[in-house]
Amino acid sequence: MAAGSGFEDPHADVLAEAAAAFGLLASPARLHIVWALAQGESDVTGLAERVGGALPAVSQHLTKLKLAGLVRSRREGRRQVYFVDDPDVVDVVRLAVARLTARTAPPGARARRLHGL
């Protein structure tokens, strides 16, 4: 337990797994892909168009995300459809993007957003 915090430190294996996931999401392209997939499933062509990446590069990013267990796919006819299989990853990505978006919004927009809560 950390001194005075009331929280137990996570196990080293948990920290290593989290660091690996955050490492993969440290790439803007991979983060954008996960963000896009958090909004709904897609094939590699749709993702490449949405994130503005070359098809081979997006495919390589998807392979890394799949190997890490952050993304899964299923076959639909001749195409692979990708989706985020871990709701916790979706929550973390959405929270981080929302918080950073709020920080970079003009002050008037932040006030309007707060009044709308």
Side-chain angles (χ1 to χ4, degrees):
M1 193 177 280
S5 71
F7 293 101
E8 240 181 86
D9 288 339
H11 191 274
D13 292 345
V14 171
L15 291 172
E17 191 174 332
F22 282 124
L24 279 169
L25 295 175
S27 158
R30 284 192 291 270
L31 183 60
H32 196 171
I33 289 167
V34 172
W35 172 262
L37 291 175
Q39 312 313 309
E41 43 189 50
S42 179
D43 64 8
V44 69
T45 304
L47 283 170
E49 289 172 4
R50 180 162 180 185
V51 304
L55 200 70
V58 172
S59 183
Q60 287 179 348
H61 288 307
L62 285 165
T63 297
K64 289 179 182 180
L65 292 166
K66 276 182 73 172
L67 288 171
L70 299 177
V71 167
R72 287 193 27 204
S73 67
R74 71 171 183 284
R75 184 160 293 289
E76 279 189 4
R78 297 177 67 181
R79 62 185 200 130
Q80 288 284 109
V81 176
Y82 294 88
F83 56 96
V84 179
D85 191 39
D86 187 340
D88 294 333
V89 169
V90 172
D91 289 345
V92 168
V93 169
R94 284 184 175 158
L95 178 64
V97 170
R99 294 276 173 97
L100 291 169
T101 299
R103 283 186 198 164
T104 59
R110 277 188 291 231
R112 283 192 299 275
R113 202 172 311 136
L114 289 176
H115 290 299
L117 293 178

